[in-house]
Amino acid sequence: MAKHFKESCAFRTSIGGQALMEGILMRGPKKQAIVCRTKDGLVEKTEILEPWRNLYPVLAVPFIRGIPVFLESLVKGMKALTYSASLLPEEEQGEPDKLDQWIEAHFSEEKAQKLIIGVAVVLGLALSIGLFVFLPALIVRLINFHKSFSMPLVNLLEGIFRVGILLVYMALVSRVKDIKRVFSYHGAEHKSIFCYEHGLPLTVENVRKERRFHPRCGTSFLLVVVLVSILVNLLFNFIFPMSNVFARIGCHILLIPLVVGISYEINRWCGGHDNWLSAVLSAPGKWLQHITTNEPDDGMIECAIRALELVIPEEKGSDIWGS
């Protein structure tokens, strides 16, 4: 039975990536690389990684480590996305908004960049909380106008709306022309990592043949977070029933670090196992990838290959998943 679920990989790598505007970010155990395609060819940028968990041992503790990993990925990912957007032709970049203009006018270039990234991260988190915490709670409150639903049913409905909002949001943004290309680079990222894990030479032909649905995709983590939040909030409200919608929203927000920590451990465990349970747990994430990944063209694959080559460690095996 277990053989049915096994992936025919030579090994599982901890190297992961992120699709950018006309480019790829790859993150290895010791450094990360950004490779973008411009009218003048490929532009490369590498930097040494210093994970927060290496500075503070407590951040490497299970069920805690997922929170700094998530925040660190968010910050570095936003920086990489901003950098890739700056390489686009001027006519495609658009005008900076008024807040960015004010920051650039009042701070040095280095401080302004950090502030803009910080504001973008905070706004992104606020938008996520608004969409996946406030909005579902308010929708259910409108439906349950007469307060006839039981609290378990209220929490279950809120969870269902969270999943629905995530799927609708992803489906809508996937129709945007620029996002379609980003999702194609996402597919190139997955295919190149699969090729590397299968022990094949990193060529366009080899990468093109690989699947684009990867079980250790970071985007799938979002769906895992939503599903775990349903279970955690159901359990919490069973122990501490709260009928007030704003008190419940506040508890949902306070429970986010716990939800992220549990979700990270689930993803980490699934990434290192091939059995019926890991297949079931990783299945929703793979379904979501039907929306968030597209088939790449050869130029996108070349970007992904080069970014991957730049972060493969010299010490063979030091990037094995879970090491």
Side-chain angles (χ1 to χ4, degrees):
M1 185 73 173
K3 289 182 179 179
H4 177 70
F5 298 103
K6 271 194 173 179
E7 296 174 28
S8 56
C9 291
F11 80 112
R12 297 178 183 84
T13 182
S14 61
I15 294 174
Q18 176 183 326
L20 306 173
M21 302 296 291
E22 297 301 326
I24 298 275
L25 161 70
M26 285 287 186
R27 188 176 295 114
K30 294 184 178 181
K31 58 183 177 179
Q32 74 171 25
I34 298 172
V35 178
C36 294
R37 182 168 291 283
T38 69
K39 61 182 181 180
D40 298 319
L42 296 182
V43 174
E44 303 174 1
K45 180 182 179 181
T46 60
E47 64 177 285
I48 302 299
L49 290 176
E50 296 180 359
W52 296 344
R53 64 178 180 272
N54 291 350
L55 302 175
Y56 307 99
V58 68
L59 298 183
V61 175
F63 296 100
I64 294 178
R65 59 190 174 186
I67 301 164
V69 168
F70 171 72
L71 291 174
E72 195 171 10
S73 298
L74 190 62
V75 171
K76 290 186 179 298
M78 190 65 71
K79 286 182 178 179
L81 195 59
T82 302
Y83 172 74
S84 68
S86 72
L87 297 176
L88 294 174
E90 288 187 11
E91 61 272 16
E92 295 181 25
Q93 290 186 28
E95 288 292 326
D97 58 38
K98 291 183 178 180
L99 178 57
D100 288 355
Q101 290 177 12
W102 184 89
I103 292 174
E104 290 173 349
H106 289 79
F107 296 91
S108 65
E109 184 177 349
E110 184 179 351
K111 286 186 178 180
Q113 185 181 22
K114 289 181 179 179
L115 275 173
I116 290 171
I117 296 297
V119 169
V121 170
V122 170
L123 290 178
L125 290 173
L127 177 62
S128 298
I129 291 173
L131 280 177
F132 302 114
V133 178
F134 278 89
L135 184 57
L138 295 178
I139 291 174
V140 173
R141 188 184 186 191
L142 289 174
I143 296 173
N144 188 30
F145 182 77
H146 297 290
K147 298 182 180 179
S148 57
F149 295 168
S150 65
M151 288 313 301
L153 179 58
V154 168
N155 282 284
L156 182 60
L157 286 174
E158 287 178 0
I160 292 172
F161 276 112
R162 283 192 201 101
V163 175
I165 290 169
L166 176 63
L167 295 178
V168 169
Y169 175 79
M170 288 296 187
L172 289 176
V173 299
S174 69
R175 295 176 178 273
V176 179
K177 181 181 177 181
D178 289 341
I179 301 301
K180 280 184 178 180
R181 289 192 61 79
V182 171
F183 285 173
S184 292
Y185 275 101
H186 192 193
E189 173 220 327
H190 285 186
K191 283 173 170 282
S192 62
I193 290 176
F194 259 136
C195 186
Y196 172 59
E197 290 181 322
H198 289 155
L200 299 173
L202 289 172
T203 65
V204 172
E205 287 187 2
N206 285 339
V207 170
R208 193 190 301 121
K209 298 173 186 176
E210 298 289 349
R211 293 172 294 162
R212 72 177 197 267
F213 309 123
H214 202 288
R216 294 179 291 285
C217 172
T219 307
S220 302
F221 177 73
L222 297 177
L223 184 55
V224 175
V225 167
V226 172
L227 295 175
V228 169
S229 73
I230 296 174
L231 298 177
V232 169
N233 289 319
L234 275 172
L235 179 61
F236 186 84
N237 282 276
F238 177 77
I239 299 172
F240 304 102
M242 293 184 184
S243 58
N244 184 283
V245 64
F246 295 106
R248 201 165 59 253
I249 286 173
C251 286
H252 291 345
I253 294 173
L254 291 175
L255 288 170
I256 288 175
L258 176 62
V259 169
V260 170
I262 294 172
S263 302
Y264 176 81
E265 298 303 324
I266 291 174
N267 263 27
R268 186 179 176 90
W269 183 86
C270 287
H273 294 79
D274 280 322
N275 53 45
W276 67 270
L277 181 57
S278 64
V280 169
L281 291 174
S282 62
K286 289 183 180 179
W287 297 337
L288 182 61
Q289 289 176 50
H290 282 82
I291 301 176
T292 62
T293 63
N294 295 325
E295 285 295 333
D297 60 33
D298 289 355
M300 296 171 179
I301 292 174
E302 288 174 356
C303 265
I305 289 173
R306 183 56 187 154
L308 179 55
E309 289 174 338
L310 289 171
V311 301
I312 294 174
E314 295 179 4
E315 183 183 348
K316 189 174 181 179
S318 62
D319 62 318
I320 291 177
W321 181 266
S323 61

